[in-house]
Amino acid sequence: MRPASLREVVERARVDGDWDHHLQNFLDAFYALDGDTAAQGAMIAEDPGFLGRARPDAFLGGVGEHLARRWRLPSIPSWVRHEARYLDTAMFVPDERNLRNYLICVSPVSFRPRLIFTGPDPLQRARFPYHRGVIRMPLTFPQGPEAAALFEPKR
């Protein structure tokens, strides 16, 4: 059975250590309730507690905030703002050096302040409600003399 709340994700991960697996199952359950904002809000409302590992604890804070914002839930839970939900060192998902600049640009607002840099919709799953649309990030580049100045060698 899938976790019905982020609290259950943390409780299960404390037993077997596989927080990512439980989070993915939670997301499937969350997306299955698409359109029922009260039920979805209840799934993230309760403070899930901590795993005692900085990266998963911060990522779960980003998940709670992102789901509330992305699906326009009634409120963003206050537990997502706890200081332990923020990192001191950047985390890139995926951690590929050649993608870092891209990830810094497209990471959602719920993850960036936590120093977590991901793709534009980091919680997509096969059960993702695509009829709602995906987040599209327009990339604009400088034109004319501004663009040329970017590529001139610095002296």
Side-chain angles (χ1 to χ4, degrees):
M1 200 156 159
R2 292 187 177 111
S5 68
L6 285 176
R7 180 159 201 68
E8 283 186 37
V9 169
V10 171
E11 288 170 356
R12 293 177 187 195
R14 285 182 185 143
V15 173
D16 65 14
D18 195 355
W19 70 274
D20 187 54
H21 170 75
H22 298 299
L23 176 61
Q24 300 307 317
N25 283 326
F26 164 80
L27 291 171
D28 288 340
F30 184 90
Y31 296 145
L33 295 173
D34 182 45
D36 186 349
T37 56
Q40 288 178 310
M43 294 176 82
I44 65 169
E46 186 180 3
D47 185 342
F50 295 97
L51 291 168
R53 297 187 341 241
R55 287 181 170 209
D57 288 337
F59 197 85
L60 288 170
V63 167
E65 182 176 344
H66 183 73
L67 291 174
R69 288 178 185 277
R70 175 76 168 90
W71 302 106
R72 294 183 176 95
L73 301 182
S75 65
I76 297 172
S78 61
W79 62 264
V80 305
R81 302 278 187 239
H82 190 281
E83 64 186 28
R85 301 278 181 203
Y86 295 83
L87 296 175
D88 295 328
T89 306
M91 172 181 166
F92 293 88
V93 181
D95 192 9
E96 297 290 332
R97 193 172 252 328
N98 59 343
L99 291 177
R100 288 184 174 184
N101 288 339
Y102 167 74
L103 295 175
I104 288 169
C105 291
V106 301
S107 287
V109 70
S110 304
F111 290 93
R112 269 186 271 150
R114 292 175 167 78
L115 297 182
I116 299 171
F117 301 101
T118 70
D121 222 336
L123 305 180
Q124 278 187 335
R125 300 275 301 144
R127 295 180 185 269
F128 189 84
Y130 286 99
H131 68 278
R132 296 274 218 121
V134 294
I135 295 175
R136 303 217 186 274
M137 297 289 298
L139 295 177
T140 57
F141 297 96
Q143 302 294 315
E146 301 156 2
L150 291 175
F151 299 103
E152 289 179 8
K154 296 195 176 171
R155 297 171 208 233

